[in-house]
């Protein structure tokens, strides 16, 4: 009986911890300073935004989509780009609708590629997402 109770408690604590990690990732990515996939900076490390994106995208599909939709509504411009990337993976039709609403947007965001930081329009980043420019980085499996 004690073993059964211990197993039940362990399952619930792991599920709760997973939710805490996802909630923390959503909070961090909402204020990310730049949009980046792939190695950044002198050392070529994975950005915190990409790390948070990976936490969100690995949730169950419906929860992940809901997280990205919330991020798009409440986050800064850079996090909206991550949200678009997630929505494109999970619901391409919704992504296309969102992208078409950005056609005339002049919102600028900071992007980072390697050591280069630049300002790009969110619409341009969305078009790059649609063209598959970031697909390698979005779909690759992180090394463990």
């Amino acid at each position: 009986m004690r073993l059964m109770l211990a197993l039940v408690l362990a399952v619930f604590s792991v599920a709760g911890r997973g939710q805490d990690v996802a909630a923390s990732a959503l909070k961090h990515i909402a204020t990310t300073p730049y949009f980046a996939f792939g190695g950044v900076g002198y050392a070529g490390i994975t950005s915190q935004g990409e790390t948070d994106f990976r936490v969100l995208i690995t949730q169950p599909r419906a929860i992940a989509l809901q997280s990205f939709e919330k991020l798009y509504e409440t986050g800064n411009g850079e996090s909206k780009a991550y949200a678009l990337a997630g929505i494109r993976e999970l619901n391409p039709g919704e992504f296309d609708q969102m992208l078409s609403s950005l056609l005339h947007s002049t919102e600028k965001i900071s992007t980072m590629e390697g050591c280069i930081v630049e300002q790009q329009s969110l619409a341009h980043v969305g078009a790059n997402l649609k063209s598959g420019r970031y697909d390698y980085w979005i779909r690759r499996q992180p090394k463990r």
Side-chain angles (χ1 to χ4, degrees):
M1 183 67 174
R2 284 185 177 184
L3 180 59
M4 178 81 103
L5 181 59
L7 287 173
V8 168
L9 288 174
V11 166
F12 284 117
S13 69
V14 169
R17 187 181 300 147
Q19 291 170 347
D20 289 344
V21 170
S24 179
L26 189 58
K27 182 179 176 183
H28 287 138
I29 200 171
T31 59
T32 191
Y34 52 84
F35 173 77
F37 278 108
V40 296
Y42 182 73
I45 62 170
T46 301
S47 70
Q48 184 62 49
E50 181 179 347
T51 299
D52 294 334
F53 172 86
R54 294 200 180 288
V55 169
L56 297 176
I57 197 99
T58 57
Q59 297 179 100
R61 186 179 195 89
I63 294 170
L65 183 58
Q66 185 178 35
S67 294
F68 287 123
E69 290 168 341
K70 179 180 179 181
L71 182 61
Y72 189 82
E73 292 298 319
T74 62
N76 65 13
E78 291 78 9
S79 66
K80 285 180 182 180
Y82 282 113
L84 285 170
I87 292 167
R88 179 176 177 259
E89 289 298 300
L90 300 169
N91 188 341
E94 183 179 356
F95 168 81
D96 288 339
Q97 289 177 337
M98 295 172 97
L99 187 58
S100 68
S101 73
L102 287 175
L103 286 178
H104 302 293
S105 171
T106 58
E107 182 175 3
K108 296 282 188 185
I109 66 168
S110 294
T111 62
M112 189 168 192
E113 216 171 299
C115 295
I116 308 297
V117 177
E118 62 183 334
Q119 295 289 304
Q120 295 183 25
S121 71
L122 183 57
H124 180 73
V125 173
N128 281 339
L129 285 164
K130 182 161 181 70
S131 75
R133 180 158 191 252
Y134 300 104
D135 285 358
Y136 171 78
W137 298 106
I138 292 170
R139 295 176 182 160
R140 80 179 173 94
Q141 297 300 313
K143 294 178 185 174
R144 298 196 184 242

